[in-house]
């Protein structure tokens, strides 16, 4: 027999777990110091409990102002790329424990190098939101997809539940604490 404590019914228009988890990845991306690309990752277990977050940045202990944030230069080491730890790897490294069997939500489809980290960590599913902006990453993400699939990692693109997401974003932007300034 179901428990019955009140006559009020549960709210039915809650966020789906997928939308909730992808929003956490998006919010996490806003910690990135990268002026051109902000990527966020969120790892949860199969019951959607938080395991870790990560964003693209320099390694811990390195001042982000100490590197060049250029995307192109004659010498690769005059760009940001050799110094950035991707969001997916940061999320795996930031976890307090094992992420084996977990789900990874990431705002940009993982590159081939991150795919190797995801596989080695034992993550069972990757849910991604969009493709990288630059064509230079196209081959890397295609190869990353292949690696993940060959390793048996489930990979899928996130699809927002649009009407509910719009309600949620309107609620957030209208929240009274944001208007107190």
């Amino acid at each position: 027999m179901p428990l019955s404590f009140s006559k009020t019914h549960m709210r039915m228009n809650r966020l789906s777990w997928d939308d909730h988890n992808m929003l956490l990845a998006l919010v996490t991306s806003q910690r990135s110091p990268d002026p051109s690309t902000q990527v966020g990752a969120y790892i949860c277990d199969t019951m959607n409990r938080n395991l870790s977050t990560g964003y693209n940045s320099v390694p811990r202990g390195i001042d982000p102002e100490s590197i060049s944030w250029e995307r192109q230069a004659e010498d690769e080491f005059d760009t940001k790329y050799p110094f950035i730890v991707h969001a997916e790897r940061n999320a795996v490294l930031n976890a307090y424990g094992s992420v084996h069997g977990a789900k990874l939500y990431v705002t940009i489809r993982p590159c081939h190098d991150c795919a190797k980290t995801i596989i080695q960590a034992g993550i069972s599913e990757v849910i991604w939101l969009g493709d990288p902006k630059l064509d230079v990453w196209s081959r890397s993400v295609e190869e990353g997809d292949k690696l993940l699939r060959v390793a048996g990692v489930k990979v899928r693109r996130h699809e927002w539940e649009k009407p509910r997401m719009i309600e949620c974003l309107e609620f957030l932007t209208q929240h009274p604490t944001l208007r107190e300034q």
Side-chain angles (χ1 to χ4, degrees):
M1 177 163 90
L3 295 174
S4 179
F5 294 107
S6 77
K7 304 240 187 257
T8 305
H9 294 285
M10 178 180 90
R11 196 176 109 218
M12 298 307 292
N13 63 341
R14 301 184 306 161
L15 285 176
S16 69
W17 278 115
D18 267 356
D19 283 355
H20 169 271
N21 296 341
M22 190 58 76
L23 271 175
L24 290 173
L26 273 171
V27 168
T28 300
S29 75
Q30 295 306 292
R31 287 285 307 140
S32 173
D34 190 326
S36 60
T37 309
Q38 297 79 44
V39 182
Y42 173 75
I43 301 175
C44 62
D45 66 14
T46 57
M47 294 177 58
N48 296 295
R49 293 178 295 198
N50 179 30
L51 297 177
S52 186
T53 61
Y55 53 89
N56 57 315
S57 189
V58 294
R60 193 175 284 122
I62 305 290
D63 180 357
E65 292 182 16
S66 70
I67 71 158
S68 167
W69 288 97
E70 294 299 321
R71 295 166 90 173
Q72 294 179 327
E74 208 169 292
D75 182 350
E76 177 189 13
F77 284 88
D78 290 333
T79 71
K80 64 182 181 175
Y81 299 111
F83 307 103
I84 298 299
V85 180
H86 287 186
E88 303 92 327
R89 180 170 288 147
N90 262 330
V92 168
L93 294 171
N94 288 337
Y96 283 113
S98 173
V99 294
H100 186 82
K103 298 185 288 184
L104 172 95
Y105 289 80
V106 62
T107 58
I108 292 180
R109 193 160 49 140
C111 71
H112 75 283
D113 202 37
C114 288
K116 293 184 288 185
T117 298
I118 291 164
I119 293 163
Q120 286 298 97
I123 289 172
S124 63
E125 184 174 7
V126 173
I127 303 95
W128 55 274
L129 187 57
D131 282 311
K133 294 181 225 173
L134 297 177
D135 288 340
V136 70
W137 288 99
S138 297
R139 175 85 189 271
S140 182
V141 296
E142 287 170 14
E143 295 302 320
D145 260 4
K146 286 180 195 173
L147 281 171
L148 292 167
R149 292 176 198 284
V150 166
V153 177
K154 183 178 174 185
V155 179
R156 63 184 168 92
R157 186 174 193 152
H158 179 66
E159 298 293 333
W160 295 108
E161 291 182 18
K162 286 191 174 84
R164 181 60 199 121
M165 276 307 304
I166 291 167
E167 288 174 22
C168 177
L169 294 173
E170 286 173 351
F171 169 79
L172 292 173
T173 58
Q174 300 301 318
H175 199 275
T177 57
L178 294 174
R179 302 205 173 270
E180 291 174 354
Q181 300 172 13

